[in-house]
Amino acid sequence: MIPLGFVTDALLYLLAVVLALSLLTASIRCVRTYQRRRRERVAAPVRGLLLELLCAEEDGQSELLDRLAQIDRRTWAALEPTVTAMLVKVSGRARAALVLLCERRGSPAEAVAELRSRSAARRGRAAQVLGQLRHRPAAPSLCRLLDDRDPEVRLAATRALGRTGDPMAVPYLLRSLHGPRTVPYKVVTAALASLGPAAQLRVAAGLQDPTPLVRAVAIEVLGVTRAIARTTEVVRALREDPATEVRVRAARALGRLGMPDGLEPLLAAIRTGQPGALRIVAAGALGSLGAGAATGPLTELLGDADPHVAGTAARALLRLGPVGEAALREAADGRSDAPAAAQARAVLGEAAVGGVRHDVLVEVAL
């Protein structure tokens, strides 16, 4: 039996720990509040100049830039967080002025130097600043951070690389999908898509990678960025790739690309015997493709044993326009107890009350 005195001492110790943690949390909050208010107080005299710069015409920006570029280091340190935060909120002339101001104050060079800091918080903050500035020369340094020991730093570097617009980052981003230090695939996908058409050739090279996830992400990006020139490679992936996930993403990409070359491989992908996820996505992609030749095969799927396949096929028919809607109405007039008729009536009913949009691509979250 545990002595009562021991239990009492343990409870008192636990209470002391809780109180200490509460005091520490309160102290940190107070310090941060004090620092924020101090920065606001120091930056207050020049904040008006910053707002004037954002609103000024091009010929009136030069003088304001000169005045802001000459403020003392302490005031700039207080103002800089506001400047970098505004970079993601403004565009055009106002953004160009802010970037020029940061360059004149040496912010990009300081941020690149901070990427080698021992502090993970500083490395992450520096990567974030370089991304907000879209500082393309920093891309090689940011690529090195994709292998950083801190996962938050890796995330910040990935997002920053997406904003720099440098296609040289593509192989490094794809490589970050596997290994001991990885980056979540959704973050990598968003970064690669942000690089735009200039990166499509290098992204397509990822289709030869031995890692299925790399191939899947490469396919996804080619679809999102409407890489029409890579349609043949996407078709090949749908037909030949050994990984179901890659084939599913290839089917989705073909729907987004909207090229006639995607019709035959998508029709093959909806056949019985193919993986269920692939059949669902391929059926949705056929609806987005808008090919009247898909009407018959999609109509046959209305009575499919998989209700998800049948439902997706019905919505795909609706997106084919008059010819697809006619097929649905014909199916709906069939036997009242037939699955195909019930599916057709359900989708036509949804469409009648605005529940189905013709421009929505049915996708499967894997």
Side-chain angles (χ1 to χ4, degrees):
M1 187 174 180
I2 301 176
L4 181 61
F6 177 81
V7 174
T8 303
D9 290 344
L11 289 174
L12 289 173
Y13 176 76
L14 181 61
L15 180 61
V17 170
V18 172
L19 288 173
L21 290 175
S22 300
L23 287 173
L24 179 61
T25 302
S27 299
I28 293 174
R29 189 175 297 144
C30 288
V31 169
R32 287 178 177 174
T33 300
Y34 169 77
Q35 290 175 338
R36 177 176 55 80
R37 290 177 178 174
R38 181 174 174 273
R39 285 196 303 268
E40 291 175 352
R41 186 170 61 254
V42 172
V46 294
R47 190 172 286 113
L49 287 178
L50 182 61
L51 294 176
E52 287 184 44
L53 176 65
L54 295 175
C55 301
E57 297 295 331
E58 189 171 354
D59 55 356
Q61 288 181 340
S62 180
E63 181 184 351
L64 292 167
L65 278 171
D66 288 340
R67 293 174 64 182
L68 285 167
Q70 292 170 9
I71 61 177
D72 62 89
R73 188 174 182 83
R74 176 169 172 265
T75 304
W76 172 249
L79 185 65
E80 187 178 21
T82 301
V83 174
T84 53
M86 284 184 173
L87 283 168
V88 298
K89 299 177 182 178
V90 298
S91 59
R93 186 175 60 248
R95 176 182 164 76
L98 290 178
V99 171
L100 183 56
L101 173 61
C102 289
E103 290 175 347
R104 291 181 62 173
R105 293 294 314 197
S107 295
E110 290 180 5
V112 170
E114 284 284 88
L115 293 179
R116 297 184 179 274
S117 171
R118 292 185 178 182
S119 167
R122 288 186 177 181
R123 295 196 302 275
R125 171 62 181 165
Q128 182 181 9
V129 169
L130 290 167
Q132 290 168 335
L133 288 170
R134 299 176 189 169
H135 191 60
R136 191 162 180 163
S141 299
L142 289 168
C143 285
R144 287 193 288 271
L145 284 191
L146 293 177
D147 193 43
D148 195 272
R149 61 183 178 275
D150 189 285
E152 294 299 323
V153 174
R154 298 199 295 271
L155 284 174
T158 302
R159 294 186 178 110
L161 283 167
R163 296 187 179 110
T164 63
D166 195 335
M168 64 80 59
V170 171
Y172 297 92
L173 289 167
L174 291 174
R175 197 178 306 152
S176 72
L177 290 166
H178 58 91
R181 296 175 178 174
T182 60
V183 180
Y185 80 90
K186 289 185 178 180
V187 181
V188 174
T189 301
L192 289 168
S194 297
L195 293 175
Q200 288 174 355
L201 180 60
R202 299 191 185 204
V203 171
L207 299 180
Q208 307 305 317
D209 195 278
T211 305
L213 181 57
V214 173
R215 301 197 301 275
V217 167
I219 285 282
E220 188 80 16
V221 173
L222 292 175
V224 169
T225 57
R226 303 295 195 273
I228 295 175
R230 322 311 308 186
T231 300
T232 301
E233 292 155 279
V234 178
V235 167
R236 186 181 302 117
L238 174 57
R239 284 176 168 162
E240 302 176 4
D241 200 280
T244 298
E245 182 179 359
V246 177
R247 298 182 66 204
V248 167
R249 292 175 187 268
R252 182 179 298 149
L254 287 174
R256 287 170 171 156
L257 295 177
M259 298 298 289
D261 293 351
L263 177 61
E264 288 302 323
L266 286 172
L267 289 175
I270 64 173
R271 291 172 185 162
T272 303
Q274 297 287 357
L278 177 60
R279 298 180 71 212
I280 294 170
V281 174
L286 284 168
S288 295
L289 209 59
T295 304
L298 286 172
T299 302
E300 292 177 7
L301 291 184
L302 292 176
D304 196 88
D306 187 332
H308 298 293
V309 172
T312 304
R315 288 169 175 78
L317 281 168
L318 201 59
R319 292 199 299 279
L320 291 182
V323 63
E325 187 170 345
L328 279 172
R329 295 194 179 283
E330 183 178 347
D333 291 336
R335 286 177 47 195
S336 60
D337 60 341
Q343 192 66 252
R345 283 194 292 268
V347 170
L348 288 170
E350 291 175 11
V353 296
V356 175
R357 287 170 49 195
H358 290 219
D359 61 335
V360 174
L361 172 63
V362 177
E363 296 184 354
V364 177
L366 298 178

